[in-house]
Amino acid sequence: MNSLYKYAVAFLLGLSVLATSCNLDVDPRQSIDADGALNTPDALEASINSVYGRLRAESTYGRDLFAMADALADVGRTTNNSGRLIGENNNNPNAHFTALFWENSYFAINEANLILDQLARGVDGASAAQLARWEGEVKFLRALWYFNLVKVYSYMPTAIYSPGVTDEGGVPMPLEGSITSDIAFTRNSPRVSIQENYTQIYSDLEDAIRLLTISQRAGSQFANVGAAQGLLSRVALYRGDWATARDAATAALASGSGTVLGGMDYVEGWRASVHPESMFEVRVQLAAEALGVNVSLQSSYTALLNLDNKNAQGGWGDFIANSTVLNFFGLSQVQIGEDAENNNNWDVTRNEDVRSFLFTTGNTVRNAGRQIECIKFISKNGFAFGDNIPVIRKSEMHLNRAEANYQLGNEGDALEELNAFKGLRGLDPVTVSGADLLEEILLERFKEFAFEGQRFFDLKRYGRDLDKTYLGPTNFVAFDDFRILPPIPQREVDGNVNLNQNRGY
């Protein structure tokens, strides 16, 4: 049974989004009505919330797009406290993004397509502003879902291994909803080209920017103009469209979405429930929506329950910084009180980089003992394991623009922006040029987005090898290795005669 068939079956059965509610300031309905009744404002609001709600899934921003992506990269190492993320950290074949990521993404895309189909037919009693906002939000969301799919399952336009081989390409890109199983089962969408994926993502984001200028909801949990500009900047960076990346970053920085923070304000931003830098974030409003002690970001990164008492048992602390990241911030364990058995009497040494305050020692409740852990995510919402997740932070726009300007030959502008950003993080300016300047920009991205899931894709878009020999002599994955891409779920390939599997699987 291929995914589109299952999406239609799920639609007809009225399955819930994530077996949790989608509380986003409207009636928390969880799925599109089985009879297709999307022609009222309340139904449209509820169905759009379903597309937002799926972003919380473990397979998506709930864990994998951050923690699994960094485990695949060269950011950290696993502790074996729970056994999770070990295969991904070792880049074992098939230990990669899973079928659940593919399925959840296409469920969301099908919902988005059904909503857009309904908007084209009209919605009873809706104002022009409502129609514009709904279409803008859904096109932003569809662009985000397709962008995540193509960046995971395909090569980047800037670095394609063996272009033209028959078993590579982008991802299937249906743009109409499937409301019956017959439509879904017979569609058999093929993989389109990588460029076709990016062209459609551009189109959706350009529409979103135009429409959300007319009307948008307040709050970074909803699509907004700045978020759409910020996402376009990131997409353009991955595409190697440097002028668009620069211009979209400039527009995003000028928008009222999010606030760039510096110094200790930046550190405190990570302690706020809603990150002040967030241009778009995945919101977890209720404890019932949290993913819990096993797979949440908090549990993946730290064994602490909160920062008030390090002795309290919290998560598993499955994935921690490697020596490279520890050295970035001058981190090493240090005893600060007399009783060495008390975990509250331990902390870390730090250098001048304020991001060093986003790490501290954990506790001894798990098998690996006390480790240095990342605390970007730790009970910020007032309940454990349910932190809001910043998807696009405004600081990224400075680094996007610096990189784009470098690639456009504007080294002076790139260096000026880089040094201004370093100043926000407490670092001295540098004097570099040429290839060294690019490396310095990418290094700053590594530091800034550690434990936020960007490093793997930064390496991938520059066609770079994964040098993880710190884990062992065999932990080196060349860019031309098939393990750079995950397998497309085999049941999808088996059920779709037009769907080619990634090589090596």
Side-chain angles (χ1 to χ4, degrees):
M1 180 185 293
N2 68 32
S3 284
L4 287 178
Y5 177 79
K6 290 191 296 178
Y7 307 154
V9 171
F11 174 89
L12 293 169
L13 294 176
L15 294 180
S16 68
V17 175
L18 298 173
T20 62
S21 64
C22 297
N23 289 310
L24 289 170
D25 298 343
V26 294
D27 182 22
R29 294 168 57 189
Q30 298 173 345
S31 60
I32 297 172
D33 290 343
D35 62 0
L38 295 177
N39 62 345
T40 68
D42 284 348
L44 253 293
E45 295 280 10
S47 59
I48 292 171
N49 284 349
S50 176
V51 187
Y52 281 112
R54 287 190 176 278
L55 294 169
R56 288 196 306 265
E58 171 195 340
S59 63
T60 310
Y61 286 109
R63 187 194 69 172
D64 288 358
L65 279 171
F66 277 34
M68 183 182 288
D70 271 3
L72 289 166
D74 57 356
V75 174
R77 59 184 181 87
T78 51
T79 60
N80 200 25
N81 280 335
S82 76
R84 297 182 184 90
L85 299 176
I86 292 175
E88 291 83 0
N89 200 213
N90 287 317
N91 300 100
N92 294 339
N94 291 298
H96 215 301
F97 283 88
T98 68
L100 291 176
F101 172 66
W102 176 280
E103 292 171 1
N104 189 50
S105 299
Y106 278 109
F107 264 113
I109 288 166
N110 191 52
E111 288 179 340
N113 286 339
L114 289 167
I115 294 164
L116 291 171
D117 292 345
Q118 180 63 53
L119 289 174
R121 292 191 294 269
V123 178
D124 293 343
S127 68
Q130 282 179 306
L131 293 170
R133 175 172 64 78
W134 290 331
E135 185 180 351
E137 288 189 28
V138 174
K139 287 195 169 178
F140 170 87
L141 289 166
R142 185 169 69 176
L144 179 62
W145 283 106
Y146 269 131
F147 176 57
N148 285 335
L149 278 167
V150 73
K151 78 179 185 183
V152 165
Y153 284 99
S154 303
Y155 292 107
M156 309 294 188
T158 54
I160 299 176
Y161 170 72
S162 296
V165 296
T166 57
D167 61 343
E168 306 297 347
V171 295
M173 195 169 62
L175 299 177
E176 296 178 350
S178 295
I179 196 170
T180 69
S181 58
D182 288 345
I183 294 173
F185 192 71
T186 58
R187 176 171 281 168
N188 285 335
S189 299
R191 298 178 73 163
V192 302
S193 72
I194 295 170
Q195 288 294 352
E196 286 178 282
N197 284 144
Y198 277 82
T199 297
Q200 180 60 47
I201 293 165
Y202 267 40
S203 177
D204 277 349
L205 289 175
E206 288 162 356
D207 283 348
I209 291 167
R210 173 178 54 82
L211 292 161
L212 292 171
T213 300
I214 299 170
S215 176
Q216 63 183 36
R217 284 193 271 189
S220 57
Q221 74 269 41
F222 300 114
N224 57 78
V225 173
Q229 291 163 335
L231 182 56
L232 178 59
S233 176
R234 187 187 296 179
V235 172
L237 206 72
Y238 281 44
R239 196 180 196 181
D241 179 0
W242 311 113
T244 298
R246 176 199 60 198
D247 295 346
T250 299
L253 285 167
S255 76
S257 178
T259 302
V260 175
L261 299 177
M264 291 305 294
D265 287 342
Y266 171 73
V267 177
E268 291 304 313
W270 283 102
R271 303 280 67 85
S273 173
V274 177
H275 199 307
E277 286 206 343
S278 286
M279 306 185 80
F280 178 70
E281 69 177 22
V282 173
R283 192 67 58 89
V284 184
Q285 296 184 186
L286 305 173
E289 295 172 345
L291 292 185
V293 69
N294 288 327
V295 298
S296 66
L297 285 173
Q298 176 184 343
S299 185
S300 296
Y301 293 154
T302 177
L304 298 174
L305 182 64
N306 54 58
L307 295 176
D308 297 328
N309 179 13
K310 290 186 176 182
N311 294 308
Q313 180 171 322
W316 288 96
D318 287 318
F319 187 67
I320 60 176
N322 61 19
S323 59
T324 300
V325 175
L326 296 178
N327 290 335
F328 284 160
F329 307 117
L331 302 172
S332 61
Q333 295 196 37
V334 58
Q335 188 175 339
I336 59 174
E338 291 186 5
D339 182 5
E341 299 301 313
N342 185 340
N343 292 295
N344 293 307
N345 288 332
W346 289 86
D347 197 4
V348 295
T349 60
R350 298 180 174 91
N351 63 18
E352 71 279 6
D353 193 319
V354 297
R355 291 169 294 199
S356 61
F357 286 93
L358 298 174
F359 297 83
T360 191
T361 48
N363 56 38
T364 54
V365 302
R366 301 298 185 186
N367 294 334
R370 186 185 299 108
Q371 301 290 333
I372 297 175
E373 301 171 340
C374 178
I375 53 171
K376 285 183 175 179
F377 301 92
I378 183 165
S379 299
K380 296 180 296 183
N381 282 9
F383 50 87
F385 315 120
D387 289 349
N388 297 331
I389 305 159
V391 174
I392 306 170
R393 289 195 291 110
K394 201 158 191 174
S395 280
E396 180 189 344
M397 300 303 106
H398 284 300
L399 293 172
N400 288 1
R401 192 163 63 179
E403 183 181 342
N405 269 321
Y406 169 82
Q407 295 289 0
L408 290 166
N410 305 323
E411 288 197 15
D413 291 339
L415 181 61
E416 181 180 2
E417 186 121 40
L418 173 65
N419 281 331
F421 182 81
K422 282 179 173 287
L424 293 172
R425 300 297 179 257
L427 301 178
D428 293 332
V430 296
T431 303
V432 290
S433 60
D436 291 341
L437 174 55
L438 175 61
E439 293 309 308
E440 195 69 26
I441 294 168
L442 295 178
L443 178 63
E444 210 56 48
R445 290 184 67 89
F446 191 172
K447 295 176 185 178
E448 180 71 13
F449 300 115
F451 297 89
E452 294 181 67
Q454 293 209 37
R455 175 65 175 172
F456 179 73
F457 301 107
D458 282 347
L459 291 170
K460 186 175 171 183
R461 63 193 177 86
Y462 275 96
R464 298 193 175 183
D465 304 331
L466 293 174
D467 186 353
K468 302 169 72 171
T469 48
Y470 62 86
L471 295 174
T474 62
N475 288 81
F476 183 90
V477 183
F479 177 69
D480 61 3
D481 193 296
F482 74 94
R483 290 173 291 170
I484 295 294
L485 301 184
I488 292 175
Q490 190 57 46
R491 60 188 174 190
E492 307 298 329
V493 177
D494 292 341
N496 183 348
V497 295
N498 297 321
L499 186 61
N500 295 319
Q501 180 61 276
N502 281 330
R503 64 188 177 93
Y505 298 105

